[in-house]
Amino acid sequence: MLHTSNRIKMPLGFWEGLRRLGMATHDVVRKAQLPITIITEPVVTTAQYFAIWQAYSDLIDDTAKGIIKLATSFETDHYPPAVLAAYHARDYRDALKRMARYKQLCPPESLRITEEGEHCTIELEWLYTEQPGPPMLVGITLAFLLELGRRGTGQPLRAKFVEFSHSIGDVQTLEAYFGCRIQIGANCNRLTIHREDLDRPFVSYNAELLEILTPVLDQSLNEQQRSRSITEMVKWIMKRSLTGGRPDIQTIASELGMSDRTLQRRLTDEGTSFKHLLTQVRHEQAREYLADPSLDIKEVAFLIGYEDQNSFYRAFRLWEGDTPSNWRTEYLGANLIN
């Protein structure tokens, strides 16, 4: 279950789930423009993972129908261990906490749960990637969180409110499934449920099974966190917070739950420094943004944290020995030939 930032463990039973829906797995792979051997691969890259979900979405008549079909048809006996631990939890609150905790073993999705007043919100975020996940994947993730509550409690739970950042197909179909109003074009992807539902006990509660699963999953999570380099985590946070400014070590250290002195020491132990990583991230992001012809140079400078364009030009010359505009022209020309 261990992974690096760009290694995604495919959900157990995913391909079987597609077959049960009457979809040929080979068609999905071809649509995703991936090698057919991907079906037997337990681990894929983030780009491949997103391509598979997008292909499934493209082959379904309507995104909303595809979301509901997959969320409701997945048999509990095909749940991976992390989801089994949630399904057999004591109550809905315990189940959601386990989902959020063990989701770290299966990136790139991350769940942030907040209880406030009469509501509980579960917001979907992306780990290690700036690229937003396909709407189909977003929809299934949020739908399954409600499905988990329905199956666990044995009750027809209804959500309070659902927000999606992108178009998600037939909204009325989804509103009927979630049992609430849905907002499209929101600034986040979020499921809001009734807080009182969190106390509902699960009829599927299995204390003996949890005693077996929990220590194994916790050990996997601890091993993963120890193996993940601090350098990797700092770079990911930097990429999220570059736009329009320069992230400082105090802010990033706080997000990692440590002092800036401890963070600098950890980075030194890994043979790098905060300043070096910031330069490296800006360089990597500059190349990535310049490869997109829809962004002008001024926008690229802002996106990687330079308030004035001249500072960006000077930095880029040091990195590449050329101006941003010349580099872009050569890059786009070379890719056109290839």
Side-chain angles (χ1 to χ4, degrees):
M1 300 192 74
L2 297 179
H3 71 281
T4 63
S5 60
N6 197 33
R7 288 170 63 79
I8 313 301
K9 190 174 178 68
M10 284 299 292
L12 193 66
F14 173 78
W15 297 110
E16 180 59 30
L18 294 189
R19 291 188 194 100
R20 285 169 180 260
L21 293 178
M23 185 169 289
T25 52
H26 288 54
D27 289 345
V28 177
V29 173
R30 274 194 288 269
K31 187 71 176 176
Q33 298 183 322
L34 296 172
I36 205 69
T37 52
I38 205 84
I39 294 172
T40 57
E41 287 292 325
V43 175
V44 297
T45 66
T46 301
Q48 290 170 335
Y49 186 64
F50 284 175
I52 290 166
W53 280 106
Q54 187 59 54
Y56 167 66
S57 179
D58 292 342
L59 291 169
I60 289 282
D61 291 338
D62 181 82
T63 304
K65 291 177 184 174
I67 288 167
I68 296 165
K69 275 185 179 179
L70 199 52
T72 56
S73 68
F74 211 85
E75 299 292 339
T76 53
D77 57 356
H78 284 122
Y79 284 170
V83 181
L84 269 180
Y87 177 64
H88 293 295
R90 183 179 295 277
D91 53 35
Y92 196 12
R93 177 182 284 104
D94 184 27
L96 289 174
K97 284 183 177 178
R98 288 175 184 272
M99 280 294 288
R101 176 169 172 77
Y102 299 133
K103 205 80 185 74
Q104 298 174 70
L105 290 166
C106 312
E109 305 101 312
S110 171
L111 304 175
R112 180 188 294 178
I113 301 174
T114 307
E115 291 186 45
E116 190 172 346
E118 298 177 353
H119 306 139
C120 171
T121 60
I122 306 125
E123 188 171 339
L124 174 62
E125 298 177 334
W126 302 105
L127 290 169
Y128 312 116
T129 177
E130 296 300 305
Q131 181 187 352
M136 177 67 78
L137 175 57
V138 172
I140 284 173
T141 302
L142 296 188
F144 183 75
L145 293 173
L146 182 61
E147 187 70 21
L148 176 66
R150 288 172 174 173
R151 292 190 185 191
T153 63
Q155 300 293 320
L157 303 183
R158 297 162 67 93
K160 177 75 176 175
F161 190 47
V162 183
E163 299 157 88
F164 290 114
S165 59
H166 295 90
S167 175
I168 205 86
D170 183 359
V171 174
Q172 287 184 324
T173 299
L174 279 178
E175 286 183 336
Y177 173 77
F178 283 100
C180 68
R181 188 167 68 85
I182 287 176
Q183 180 187 346
I184 304 297
N187 60 4
C188 64
N189 295 293
R190 183 164 54 193
L191 169 69
T192 301
I193 58 178
H194 301 273
R195 195 175 184 181
E196 61 186 19
D197 286 338
L198 298 180
D199 295 318
R200 292 180 183 269
F202 267 25
V203 294
S204 53
Y205 174 52
N206 188 326
E208 290 182 4
L209 185 59
L210 287 178
E211 282 183 15
I212 297 169
L213 286 175
T214 304
V216 175
L217 290 168
D218 285 345
Q219 183 181 350
S220 295
L221 192 59
N222 290 336
E223 287 175 0
Q224 172 192 285
Q225 289 171 342
R226 283 198 299 271
S227 67
R228 189 190 302 158
S229 74
I230 199 74
T231 298
E232 192 176 82
M233 289 191 283
V234 168
K235 285 182 70 175
W236 176 69
I237 295 171
M238 281 178 174
K239 286 179 181 179
R240 283 191 321 175
S241 50
L242 266 182
T243 306
R246 173 177 173 158
D248 59 71
I249 191 167
Q250 288 82 8
T251 303
I252 290 180
S254 175
E255 192 161 340
L256 289 168
M258 62 181 73
S259 69
D260 53 331
R261 186 173 295 179
T262 299
L263 175 56
Q264 192 61 69
R265 187 176 68 249
R266 293 276 301 275
L267 290 174
T268 301
D269 290 343
E270 293 185 10
T272 187
S273 68
F274 187 85
K275 185 178 179 181
H276 174 75
L277 290 182
L278 182 58
T279 301
Q280 192 177 41
V281 165
R282 279 177 154 172
H283 185 188
E284 289 172 5
Q285 293 298 97
R287 288 173 62 98
E288 189 174 321
Y289 290 136
L290 287 170
D292 180 355
S294 69
L295 296 172
D296 64 37
I297 305 295
K298 191 174 182 179
E299 282 180 287
V300 174
F302 177 76
L303 286 170
I304 65 169
Y306 286 98
E307 292 181 7
D308 95 87
Q309 204 171 326
N310 289 333
S311 297
F312 170 52
Y313 267 79
R314 285 194 296 271
F316 196 83
R317 272 190 173 279
L318 287 173
W319 299 332
E320 297 287 340
D322 207 344
T323 65
S325 50
N326 285 346
W327 185 93
R328 168 179 272 173
T329 302
E330 288 184 20
Y331 175 87
L332 295 176
N335 277 272
L336 195 63
I337 293 170
N338 293 335

